[in-house]
Amino acid sequence: MTIDKSIPNATAKRLSIYYRTFKRFHAAKVEKASSKQIAEAIGIDSATVRRDFSYFGELGRRGFGYDVEKLMNFFAELLNDNAITSVALIGVGNLGSAMLNYKFHERNKMKIAMAFDIKGNPLVGTTTPEGTPIYDFADIKEKIAQTDIKTAIITVPSNNSQEVADELIRAGIKGILSFSPINLTLPKDVVVQYVDLTSELQTLLYFMRNNKG
Amino acid sequence: MTIDKSIPNATAKRLSIYYRTFKRFHAAKVEKASSKQIAEAIGIDSATVRRDFSYFGELGRRGFGYDVEKLMNFFAELLNDNAITSVALIGVGNLGSAMLNYKFHERNKMKIAMAFDIKGNPLVGTTTPEGTPIYDFADIKEKIAQTDIKTAIITVPSNNSQEVADELIRAGIKGILSFSPINLTLPKDVVVQYVDLTSELQTLLYFMRNNKG
């Protein structure tokens, strides 16, 4: 979609939140939603919603509320939610196991197709109850080469995350979701998204202190 | 600090990222950092950095690079990182166990002081190797009342998250970090921060598609 090019990064980061919200409205049989309703459902201000929606062309220009079903389908297409995406998981400790159990694919077409860890992990060589194989990380290049996987989730200890990322690049991975607070050094054509739990908690505490009075 | 009031939400959400970046610069013995260096370290554009820093008063006005140590201390104070904050964890499955192992307090003064789950979880009544007690969720009001805990992390299945949140409110909790994709309905004086892993992965995939060419 050519429209993507003009969407600023800050707006792009909210697309999946809008998508989730419109799916929820649709499930609740809401047909039209105002910027105020959308803003309240998400917890941002309505001026931001209106500015974001001004980038969505025709669909974003609704004086009497936005059409829920049309926008839901628009976001699904924009986020490519109609295609199935397979990802690899690196690191099968507690967090990795949580990811393997996480229902990415119940509402969305994303699934962890294979997981990796070092040989010391007794889970290597086994298959999860859901059928996801857990391979030796030493074989990652060969295993990934047999698939069209371009995306990986890293749930390894922080001090291993850069070397794991380097190996993923060599295996052809182009996008990384990292749970490590370490900023990764990566080639320009590789995209990284960080989930930094300390930052999330710090941000929550900041808003708690500034919500008073 | 009176300065907080004028910081927009979007900037406030980046404070902990700036803090982390300046701590890293400081550890690497970098004394001055330009908006370009900061922007590149974080992966945002330098105009955003300059706009954000314009809210930080005197410290944000540096023509020859920002003073790393002063700004690191400024962010630490703004984020209250010199005070110890105890939080409660609700739900000790894989994700909750990962949170219990997560080193929030190694670099920051945040720690999970107690965890809760329903009686069916065999971990209830035990203590983690790090000394965190895991209590019956039925006792949460009484247990929280004996502490100054105002913050909770929810790692329970999505369809239980609203009822858990309701009970947390009754126990006096004022801030929630939720890993469930369900938007919680909460009183106005309660702050919530969502970590939605499906959204994070969707956003990564969107940026991967739009990074090409």
Side-chain angles (χ1 to χ4, degrees), chain A:
Chain A
M1 294 178 92
T2 53
I3 200 173
D4 296 10
K5 291 294 169 197
S6 65
I7 297 181
N9 277 5
T11 303
K13 288 189 178 179
R14 282 188 284 271
L15 290 174
S16 65
I17 312 285
Y18 287 133
Y19 179 43
R20 189 182 73 199
T21 306
F22 276 78
K23 275 196 294 187
R24 202 152 45 82
F25 284 161
H26 188 251
K29 308 217 186 297
V30 176
E31 289 180 10
K32 300 272 182 188
S34 67
S35 55
K36 191 162 172 282
Q37 285 173 298
I38 301 164
E40 279 176 4
I42 299 177
I44 59 178
D45 61 279
S46 52
T48 302
V49 172
R50 284 192 298 274
R51 198 180 52 238
D52 282 351
F53 278 49
S54 72
Y55 296 105
F56 305 152
E58 162 97 12
L59 285 169
R61 273 181 248 116
R62 296 290 166 195
F64 304 99
Y66 300 100
D67 187 302
V68 169
E69 189 168 5
K70 280 187 183 163
L71 270 154
M72 180 184 73
N73 293 334
F74 170 77
F75 290 124
E77 198 180 334
L78 209 56
L79 291 166
N80 210 18
D81 197 45
N82 302 314
I84 289 178
T85 307
S86 294
V87 309
L89 175 85
I90 326 299
V92 191
N94 278 315
L95 188 55
S97 297
M99 290 302 106
L100 284 171
N101 286 325
Y102 196 82
K103 299 286 175 285
F104 287 109
H105 52 292
E106 204 165 59
R107 300 158 304 131
N108 302 87
K109 308 268 173 66
M110 300 181 288
K111 68 172 286 216
I112 295 173
M114 47 179 70
F116 295 88
D117 207 329
I118 48 173
K119 253 193 184 131
N121 186 329
L123 293 170
V124 168
T126 69
T127 298
T128 69
E130 293 79 24
T132 312
I134 302 170
Y135 297 125
D136 186 349
F137 186 64
D139 299 331
I140 191 162
K141 226 170 138 177
E142 170 200 336
K143 293 291 184 192
I144 295 279
Q146 295 161 10
T147 69
D148 59 353
I149 294 176
K150 294 282 171 235
T151 314
I153 302 175
I154 302 186
T155 50
V156 301
S158 288
N159 45 353
N160 299 128
S161 59
Q162 182 65 54
E163 57 175 312
V164 164
D166 292 342
E167 189 63 25
L168 288 174
I169 305 310
R170 285 190 284 272
I173 292 295
K174 296 295 181 193
I176 294 172
L177 185 68
S178 173
F179 281 84
S180 146
I182 305 291
N183 272 59
L184 299 171
T185 304
L186 299 166
K188 272 216 180 342
D189 66 334
V190 176
V191 182
V192 61
Q193 178 89 355
Y194 296 99
V195 182
D196 182 342
L197 301 170
T198 298
S199 280
E200 299 286 353
L201 192 49
Q202 260 178 351
T203 302
L204 172 69
L205 295 169
Y206 175 86
F207 280 104
M208 282 170 71
R209 284 195 305 278
N210 290 278
N211 194 38
K212 286 165 193 158

Side-chain angles (χ1 to χ4, degrees), chain B residues 5 7 9 19 30 35 46 117 119 155 163 180 182 202:
Chain B
K5 290 294 168 196
I7 297 181
N9 277 6
Y19 179 43
V30 175
S35 55
S46 53
D117 207 328
K119 252 191 186 135
T155 49
E163 59 175 312
S180 146
I182 305 290
Q202 260 178 351

